[in-house]
Amino acid sequence: MSTSCSPSVSSASSLSPDPSQPLFRFQQHSLGYGGKTVLHELTLDIHQGERVALLGKSGSGKSTLLRQLRAQQAESVAWCPQQPGLVPMLSAFHNIYMGRLSSHSLLHNLANLVRPQAKPKAEIAKLAASLGLSEQLWQPAELLSGGQQSRVSLGRALYQQRPIFMGDEPVSALDERQADALLQLLGTRHHTLVVALHNLEQALSHCTRIIGLADGHVLLDAPAASLTSAELDTLYLNL
């Protein structure tokens, strides 16, 4: 992926820790990949504590925007991609543990692969229970259903224990009850959320801000509390 030239973009690491300053900022920045611009002259700030839902049709730039936001604060972002990307032959436990591979030495990680250590076993068992995965914890990922694999992917992101969560359709493979419960869980574990969603009710219920993308631009940027599901549904038809 590549980004096209732009007048200005602020790196997250250069932003002030002052809570009044944005965690993420784009100023007249064009985003794209493979030499193609997807979002044009984007100006956008996201502050600590916001819960942002990105809406838009396939190809509208949600994934591109998420990747570029993540790049601004890679060390602070727990990332959950649209495709789980699990290692098929490894257990759900080991796939979740992979969220903290970079926190340990190669020797430690190899030892935990062969004989899981007591501390990560306890931590991940507790996390798996909150995700409804206790019975699947030691099953190979390739034997899990699509919804279970999505929950393992969420668990891997949560296990990183980073303050900002970003997800690209992180609950799309789950039924509404499970999705609502996990979005609530994400909100309790991360001070800031930015998620691409396709369910409008979930966006309104779990997020404080709605950003709609269409035709290479931000078509909507408004507080969730100022919108109704009917208004958003009508708007979404045009996204």
Side-chain angles (χ1 to χ4, degrees), residues 71-155:
Q72 289 192 15
Q73 289 223 43
E75 297 303 314
S76 298
V77 171
W79 171 240
C80 188
Q82 191 170 29
Q83 299 300 323
L86 307 180
V87 180
M89 70 286 298
L90 291 183
S91 67
F93 169 87
H94 284 102
N95 274 283
I96 291 173
Y97 176 81
M98 288 170 64
R100 280 202 217 162
L101 282 178
S102 62
S103 301
H104 304 290
S105 68
L106 176 61
L107 184 61
H108 182 280
N109 290 330
L110 288 174
N112 193 69
L113 175 64
V114 175
R115 180 175 293 181
Q117 306 297 301
K119 183 178 180 181
K121 281 179 68 175
E123 292 171 338
I124 293 175
K126 183 177 180 180
L127 178 57
S130 70
L131 296 166
L133 288 170
S134 294
E135 295 183 3
Q136 292 80 31
L137 188 56
W138 299 103
Q139 292 182 18
E142 61 190 352
L143 299 182
L144 303 180
S145 68
Q148 290 167 344
Q149 289 183 5
S150 289
R151 281 181 274 159
V152 172
S153 182
L154 273 170

Side-chain angles (χ1 to χ4, degrees), residues 20-197:
S20 67
Q21 297 299 309
L23 286 173
F24 303 96
R25 167 166 285 176
F26 292 105
Q27 295 177 307
Q28 294 294 303
H29 195 55
S30 294
L31 308 181
Y33 59 91
K36 177 183 177 182
T37 299
V38 177
L39 295 171
H40 303 267
E41 297 181 354
L42 177 69
T43 295
L44 179 69
D45 287 351
I46 295 177
H47 289 79
Q48 180 172 312
E50 289 195 287
R51 299 180 181 184
V52 181
L54 303 180
L55 302 180
K57 294 179 180 178
S58 178
S60 63
K62 301 187 302 297
S63 297
T64 297
L65 178 54
L66 280 169
R67 285 193 295 267
Q68 290 299 312
L69 286 168
R70 180 191 177 204
Q72 289 192 15
Q73 289 223 43
E75 297 303 314
S76 298
V77 171
W79 171 240
C80 188
Q82 191 170 29
Q83 299 300 323
L86 307 180
V87 180
M89 70 286 298
L90 291 183
S91 67
F93 169 87
H94 284 102
N95 274 283
I96 291 173
Y97 176 81
M98 288 170 64
R100 280 202 217 162
L101 282 178
S102 62
S103 301
H104 304 290
S105 68
L106 176 61
L107 184 61
H108 182 280
N109 290 330
L110 288 174
N112 193 69
L113 175 64
V114 175
R115 180 175 293 181
Q117 306 297 301
K119 183 178 180 181
K121 281 179 68 175
E123 292 171 338
I124 293 175
K126 183 177 180 180
L127 178 57
S130 70
L131 296 166
L133 288 170
S134 294
E135 295 183 3
Q136 292 80 31
L137 188 56
W138 299 103
Q139 292 182 18
E142 61 190 352
L143 299 182
L144 303 180
S145 68
Q148 290 167 344
Q149 289 183 5
S150 289
R151 281 181 274 159
V152 172
S153 182
L154 273 170
R156 182 177 56 195
L158 287 166
Y159 194 53
Q160 294 175 39
Q161 294 187 342
R162 294 175 175 174
I164 303 167
F165 178 89
M166 289 188 182
D168 194 352
E169 303 280 2
V171 295
S172 60
L174 306 175
D175 62 42
E176 288 191 15
R177 181 185 61 80
Q178 291 177 327
D180 284 336
L182 292 182
L183 287 170
Q184 183 67 34
L185 177 65
L186 292 174
T188 64
R189 289 177 176 251
H190 300 275
H191 69 57
T192 304
L193 304 177
V194 186
V195 290
L197 296 172

Side-chain angles (χ1 to χ4, degrees), residues 201-223:
E201 290 292 343
Q202 290 170 357
L204 290 172
S205 298
H206 297 282
C207 297
T208 59
R209 180 180 175 187
I210 308 294
I211 295 176
L213 303 176
D215 300 323
H217 298 281
V218 174
L219 186 64
L220 166 74
D221 188 349

